[in-house]
Amino acid sequence: KAGVTQTPRYLIKTRGQQVTLSCSPISGHRSVSWYQQTPGQGLQFLFEYFSETQRNKGNFPGRFSGRQFSNSRSEMNVSTLELGDSALYLCASRALAGRNEQFFGPGTRLTVL
Amino acid sequence: DQQVKQNSPSLSVQEGRISILNCDYTNSMFDYFLWYKKYPAEGPTFLISISSIKDKNEDGRFTVFLNKSAKHLSLHIVPSQPGDSAVYFCAASRSGAQKLVFGQGTRLTINP
């Protein structure tokens, strides 16, 4: 089975711009979660989607949003970028049944200048 | 408020010996715990997990121990190999919640 894929792998934006990141989960996985990793805050949960519905949201401002499509692919969007949004954005997918192991993609490295 | 803590930022172990990575948590509602390994510029790789109904889980060279009363878990790697050099994260979750709460990570270096 192919793993979680994320595109693009690297992105450079300037302050005030917006960005959209994409994630394709493992085939058959219907739950997709997004995390942000920064040196100062570590790995932090952004939100989780299942069946095109956001089920859980972390403590991030409304500039961070996401969605999920009927094929379980997910996108996250960050509007009005700030310097502090520079981070590695990770997507993880999970099979519904069974345990809560989440499988991560390689991440998108976002740099805001 | 950091609910999951890994108090050792780094650990150095000789090849072939045992590596022990520690993790503490404060939220008694957590009932599922996971360990991930991460190389630079890659996403975390799932290693092993444990439910709160158990106190030990083994998978090959990896064993996770859970002490609920102390709110402490540890990952043992035996024997340690050079390819084990990476950053290890412990994570916790609650039943029915997909959100994982991560520790800050421990950088493990295996010396030949």
Side-chain angles (χ1 to χ4, degrees):
Chain A
K1 253 185 194 178
V4 177
T5 58
Q6 291 187 246
T7 56
R9 291 293 311 276
Y10 302 92
L11 206 48
I12 299 175
K13 292 285 187 179
T14 55
R15 278 184 301 174
Q17 287 187 308
Q18 76 159 16
V19 67
T20 298
L21 312 181
S22 181
C23 170
S24 292
I26 293 171
S27 176
H29 287 194
R30 295 168 64 191
S31 167
V32 173
S33 297
W34 289 88
Y35 293 82
Q36 180 198 64
Q37 185 184 24
T38 59
Q41 299 298 319
L43 273 154
Q44 293 195 296
F45 173 80
L46 279 156
F47 28 65
E48 186 243 346
Y49 286 87
F50 170 69
S51 287
E52 303 175 62
T53 302
Q54 186 181 92
R55 293 208 302 184
N56 206 348
K57 190 175 192 305
N59 191 24
F60 280 82
R63 300 185 296 107
F64 291 81
S65 63
R67 59 178 176 166
Q68 187 181 32
F69 302 94
S70 58
N71 61 359
S72 295
R73 190 176 71 83
S74 176
E75 289 181 347
M76 68 163 280
N77 183 276
V78 188
S79 62
T80 321
L81 283 166
E82 299 177 1
L83 296 179
D85 297 333
S86 294
L88 180 66
Y89 289 89
L90 292 157
C91 166
S93 76
R94 172 183 174 268
L96 257 203
R99 305 160 298 187
N100 195 15
E101 286 86 357
Q102 295 183 25
F103 297 90
F104 286 82
T108 295
R109 170 71 62 186
L110 172 65
T111 302
V112 182
L113 302 176
Chain B
D1 172 31
Q2 199 164 353
Q3 299 183 69
V4 179
K5 295 181 185 178
Q6 293 176 256
N7 291 318
S8 298
S10 63
L11 176 67
S12 188
V13 174
Q14 193 131 18
E15 182 180 357
R17 305 294 291 267
I18 182 171
S19 295
I20 300 176
L21 297 105
N22 294 302
C23 178
D24 297 295
Y25 61 97
T26 57
N27 189 338
S28 56
M29 299 296 290
F30 289 144
D31 57 8
Y32 204 80
F33 305 89
L34 308 91
W35 283 94
Y36 286 85
K37 172 182 176 180
K38 189 177 185 301
Y39 295 116
E42 293 184 13
T45 300
F46 169 73
L47 281 175
I48 192 168
S49 61
I50 188 166
S51 161
S52 60
I53 62 173
K54 293 186 172 182
D55 53 20
K56 177 182 172 181
N57 189 26
E58 280 181 88
D59 185 359
R61 296 186 299 116
F62 302 94
T63 303
V64 56
F65 295 92
L66 175 62
N67 183 333
K68 289 187 290 294
S69 59
K71 293 192 180 68
H72 176 85
L73 62 154
S74 61
L75 174 68
H76 293 210
I77 306 173
V78 183
S80 300
Q81 299 173 353
D84 296 331
S85 295
V87 177
Y88 289 77
F89 290 94
C90 106
S93 68
R94 295 171 53 179
S95 293
Q98 282 18 289
K99 170 183 175 180
L100 294 179
V101 179
F102 284 87
Q104 292 294 94
T106 296
R107 181 177 300 280
L108 175 65
T109 302
I110 305 301
N111 302 307

